[in-house]
Amino acid sequence: MYKELSSGVKISITRSISTSFESYLASIGWDEEKFSMEDFVASWQKYFTENAAWFDKVPQEILIDPQFHEEVAKKMDEVIEKVLNEKPTKKQIESIEKMQQQLGTNYSFDCKAEAAYVEGLLKEKLK
């Protein structure tokens, strides 16, 4: 079912998962102990029903089909894995190290998305 959707809709679904995942993690301060898959899924559902263009393009009979939900859950796992495994850029690392020296902080980050979060925090502290 998922594979039968247009490439634009599939890209939009992927983007909505990625965006809402990063937003959810930012809302919990990237604290692994606060992570709840149920809370993330609820956050993602709220995001796609209110903001995602793809939601209105998928027929209702597909949206309610259990097979579609299984396929989207698999896609969600893939997207989450990709987000968590994408390495920070050299530019991010250098920027964060410079700001941390200025501020005397020691934030850690493991992936590009978390680095973006940390970079944003540090920029706010420097204001």
Side-chain angles (χ1 to χ4, degrees):
M1 299 193 113
Y2 177 83
K3 292 176 182 171
E4 296 167 12
L5 298 173
S6 72
S7 63
V9 169
K10 290 188 281 190
I11 289 168
S12 185
I13 290 171
T14 299
R15 192 175 303 120
S16 72
I17 294 168
S18 178
T19 300
S20 60
F21 183 63
E22 291 176 31
S23 177
Y24 170 74
L25 288 173
S27 77
I28 61 169
W30 278 80
D31 185 339
E32 292 175 30
E33 293 181 22
K34 292 181 181 177
F35 181 81
S36 161
M37 188 57 128
E38 293 80 20
D39 289 346
F40 162 61
V41 170
S43 172
W44 178 63
Q45 289 174 334
K46 184 177 188 319
Y47 175 84
F48 76 68
T49 56
E50 294 176 1
N51 303 306
W54 68 266
F55 186 65
D56 293 331
K57 295 178 182 170
V58 178
Q60 188 65 29
E61 61 271 9
I62 292 177
L63 288 173
I64 62 173
D65 192 294
Q67 181 182 348
F68 177 71
H69 288 264
E70 287 177 28
E71 292 168 355
V72 169
K74 186 176 180 180
K75 185 65 177 176
M76 189 177 287
D77 289 342
E78 292 169 6
V79 171
I80 289 170
E81 185 176 333
K82 182 179 178 189
V83 167
L84 295 177
N85 288 311
E86 189 174 5
K87 299 291 180 204
T89 66
K90 185 176 180 179
K91 184 178 178 182
Q92 283 178 308
I93 293 168
E94 290 170 355
S95 171
I96 290 169
E97 286 175 353
K98 182 179 176 185
M99 288 187 283
Q100 294 214 87
Q101 285 177 348
Q102 289 176 298
L103 294 165
T105 58
N106 191 25
Y107 289 100
S108 62
F109 50 93
D110 296 317
C111 65
K112 185 178 181 179
E114 187 176 18
Y117 170 76
V118 169
E119 199 170 19
L121 278 179
L122 296 172
K123 285 178 181 177
E124 273 300 309
K125 288 183 181 223
L126 284 172
K127 283 185 179 179

